[in-house]
Amino acid sequence: MEIIVSLDENNGIGKDGDLLAHLSPDLRRLRAMTVGNIIVMGSKTYLSFPRRPLPDRENLVLTSHPEDFPEVKCFTSLDEFLEYAKTADKPIFVLGGSNVYKQLLPYCDKLHVTRILHSFEADTFFPDPDKLEGWTKTAEGEIIDTEQYPFRYDEYEKTQS
């Protein structure tokens, strides 16, 4: 499994249930990476999408209320999802939110980080990837400054279990 996350300078990922910034190139990159694959997220992340389910992907939701999401496959426990993940024949991308990231990080082997070079007022955070034990930065992208906030793409890989 792989995590896709957008972080500000303080590792913030969201505020009031929304992203800190909507960067068009980043949203296009997310689409390119996930189309034809499996995406998994919590219910709040799923509900934050303007169009649900995200088209051309298998949308999975971790939730204690699966009856609220009849249009997608839901899992009410981490164990149930992990059993399903073992049978997946396509890459699985974890899209958040913070609780889902926290639960699934130990089972992931790659992080795709969009590092926004700006500090926002955030109420939801991700652990600092540079301080995650057993993870190594394998790529640091060039700064892209065509949007409201400059950003870059960094990659991390798990180096130990």
Side-chain angles (χ1 to χ4, degrees), residues 29-160:
R29 178 175 179 254
L30 171 72
R31 181 177 177 10
M33 291 173 71
T34 60
V35 161
N37 295 308
I38 300 168
I39 54 174
V40 62
M41 69 217 83
S43 57
K44 290 179 189 171
T45 298
Y46 180 70
L47 289 172
S48 74
F49 296 148
R51 183 173 173 200
R52 296 181 295 270
L54 288 183
D56 306 318
R57 287 152 271 206
E58 184 178 348
N59 289 240
L60 307 177
V61 176
L62 291 169
T63 178
S64 56
H65 299 285
E67 66 278 3
D68 293 343
F69 308 98
E71 70 279 12
V72 295
K73 184 158 187 61
C74 294
F75 299 90
T76 57
S77 76
L78 181 61
D79 289 339
E80 182 187 10
F81 167 72
L82 292 173
E83 281 303 309
Y84 179 82
K86 290 178 188 174
T87 68
D89 60 352
K90 300 179 229 176
I92 299 174
F93 293 93
V94 181
L95 301 188
S98 64
N99 192 37
V100 172
Y101 284 142
K102 183 179 179 181
Q103 290 181 67
L104 294 180
L105 182 62
Y107 303 97
C108 293
D109 54 18
K110 197 167 201 177
L111 302 177
H112 303 276
V113 177
T114 301
R115 177 61 77 173
I116 303 169
L117 304 175
H118 184 81
S119 180
F120 295 90
E121 183 180 325
D123 60 15
T124 312
F125 297 86
F126 189 86
D128 184 343
D130 293 318
K131 294 180 180 172
L132 284 174
E133 191 172 324
W135 289 83
T136 301
K137 185 187 282 188
T138 56
E140 183 172 297
E142 297 293 319
I143 294 174
I144 299 166
D145 60 5
T146 57
E147 297 292 303
Q148 184 176 3
Y149 306 104
F151 65 97
R152 68 172 189 260
Y153 299 121
D154 295 343
E155 302 279 330
Y156 296 79
E157 290 185 15
K158 188 183 275 186
T159 53
Q160 65 187 36

